[in-house]
Amino acid sequence: MRHRKKTVKLGRTSAHRNELLANLVCALIDNKRIKTTLPKAKAARSLAEKMVTLGKKGSLAARRQALSTLKQEGSVKELFDAVAPSFSSRNGGYTRIVKLGRRISDSSEMVLLEWVDAVAAPVAEVAEEAAAE
């Protein structure tokens, strides 16, 4: 029985899964949005929101805790300096998942994982560029 077991395994060992999720969150911090599969996005969303909560604390201990999870100093610096302060008035729900449809090769459900506040404008720009072409 899997009662009360929250971890999504994603078909990987625990070390591989932890590194995958850390890399997804670092890419989200650096690029403001990432395109990935639905199960990976749901798993990464949880970690990303925990990292923003650490970033909002802003203490040295929180920074070290985030660094031990994400393992990329540049991404942690960006998280604490730019991403977390932009969510200072929000109490959770920092990310959004937008479904894109299924991937042709293996029919996996593809999604965009993005920050709620920071990415409203670029979505419109992409749509305008597509309409212009």
Side-chain angles (χ1 to χ4, degrees):
M1 287 183 283
R2 283 191 46 87
H3 298 181
R4 299 183 66 185
K5 297 190 183 325
K6 189 176 178 182
T7 305
V8 179
K9 293 187 177 181
L10 300 174
R12 291 163 169 81
T13 63
S14 61
H16 188 186
R17 184 173 54 249
N18 292 339
E19 295 301 319
L20 169 76
L21 295 178
N23 286 333
L24 284 173
V25 172
C26 287
L28 178 63
I29 291 168
D30 295 339
N31 301 319
K32 311 300 184 231
R33 66 165 55 172
I34 55 174
K35 182 178 177 182
T36 184
T37 61
L38 183 61
K40 288 180 190 174
K42 286 182 176 180
R45 174 178 55 183
S46 173
L47 183 61
E49 300 211 359
K50 288 175 187 171
M51 292 300 110
V52 171
T53 303
L54 282 177
K56 285 171 65 173
K57 289 181 183 176
S59 66
L60 179 61
R63 187 178 292 262
R64 286 178 175 167
Q65 202 170 2
L67 187 60
S68 73
T69 302
L70 299 180
K71 299 176 180 63
Q72 294 182 18
E73 289 184 28
S75 295
V76 172
K77 182 171 178 19
E78 176 76 14
L79 171 69
F80 276 74
D81 294 346
V83 176
S86 68
F87 293 116
S88 61
S89 62
R90 183 180 277 268
N91 293 326
Y94 309 117
T95 58
R96 169 189 305 133
I97 293 179
V98 180
K99 292 188 177 183
L100 299 175
R102 297 197 169 267
R103 187 164 50 195
I104 292 175
S105 62
D106 61 354
S107 192
S108 295
E109 183 75 30
M110 298 302 291
V111 297
L112 276 179
L113 177 63
E114 59 189 17
W115 298 118
V116 172
D117 292 340
V119 193
V123 173
E125 291 174 8
V126 170
E128 290 172 9
E129 290 174 6
E133 293 176 359

